[in-house]
Amino acid sequence: MVSEKIINLVNEQITKEQYAAQLYLSMSAWFYAQDLEGIGNYFRVQSKEELMHADKMFDYVNDVGGKIILNEVPKPPHEFDNAQEIFEKALDHERLVTKSIFNIVKTANEEGDFSTTSFLQWFINEQVEEESSASTLVSKIKMVKDNPSALYLFDQELAQRVFVPAAGN
Ligand SMILES: [Fe+2]
Ligand SMILES: [Fe+2]
């Protein structure tokens, strides 16, 4: 039995994941416009992952008999000053999402809602990974700073990322 309150929080989280997808796609577009297609690719894959997160939550709400309510997805920013700013914003955003997921888990714990805490365990682990990779990329882009050949190699590295749908999804 999952409460209305939890269903609302998960519905809101669906929108947050969709917003993350929009944000990363917008960041991806910025890099493509700079001819940094590897980094553009990285954010594009990241965007697809966020849509997959929204999808998992969509299924969960449906599985527990809740009503899926889709909200308006806010418009993402399109203007960025430089690559470092983007990586820092991406890290900030992941931290925000982690907080938001923790808040649902906290509420689910208070309600003794074990199905939601169990469902969200995957997301808690995922956020550890997301924050870790976002933080590594912030460090790397700082190393690259104003060095065109380092930026070229960094771009090549991020070109390797491919979208892999999560198992059991
Ligand atoms: Fe996500
Ligand atoms: Fe994420």
Side-chain angles (χ1 to χ4, degrees):
M1 173 66 206
V2 176
S3 74
E4 195 78 24
K5 188 174 174 186
I6 294 287
I7 294 296
N8 287 339
L9 288 173
V10 180
N11 274 325
E12 282 167 20
Q13 192 64 36
I14 290 175
T15 310
K16 288 178 186 173
E17 301 292 337
Q18 290 171 330
Y19 174 73
Q22 287 282 80
L23 177 65
Y24 294 145
L25 196 57
S26 184
M27 290 171 168
S28 167
W30 188 90
F31 284 108
Y32 278 111
Q34 311 281 322
D35 292 326
L36 289 165
E37 291 172 348
I39 309 178
N41 167 70
Y42 177 88
F43 278 105
R44 205 172 190 179
V45 170
Q46 190 64 28
S47 174
K48 286 180 185 162
E49 277 204 0
E50 299 300 347
L51 289 179
M52 184 191 78
H53 296 166
D55 240 36
K56 271 180 181 281
M57 290 172 184
F58 179 100
D59 285 338
Y60 181 70
V61 172
N62 189 47
D63 286 347
V64 297
K67 184 173 167 59
I68 295 160
I69 307 278
L70 299 175
N71 296 293
E72 199 171 343
V73 182
K75 187 177 173 179
H78 294 93
E79 306 298 332
F80 304 101
D81 290 337
N82 53 54
Q84 188 179 323
E85 183 205 334
I86 295 184
F87 282 105
E88 284 169 348
K89 280 205 163 128
L91 175 59
D92 285 350
H93 192 73
E94 287 304 328
R95 287 177 172 155
L96 212 74
V97 168
T98 302
K99 260 190 207 156
S100 177
I101 287 168
F102 280 7
N103 179 52
I104 309 177
V105 174
K106 191 170 164 272
T107 313
N109 277 339
E110 284 161 7
E111 294 188 3
D113 173 354
F114 298 112
S115 29
T116 299
T117 48
S118 166
F119 167 69
L120 289 176
Q121 193 59 54
W122 184 91
F123 284 90
I124 293 172
N125 298 336
E126 175 71 7
Q127 284 310 115
V128 172
E129 289 301 313
E130 296 262 76
E131 283 193 36
S132 164
S133 42
S135 157
T136 301
L137 291 176
V138 168
S139 305
K140 285 192 177 181
I141 198 72
K142 283 180 181 166
M143 289 177 213
V144 162
K145 210 173 176 87
D146 303 328
N147 179 338
S149 40
L151 182 60
Y152 180 80
L153 288 176
F154 184 56
D155 187 62
Q156 297 279 88
E157 182 193 331
L158 295 193
Q160 306 305 314
R161 188 178 184 194
V162 284
F163 176 65
V164 184
N169 197 51

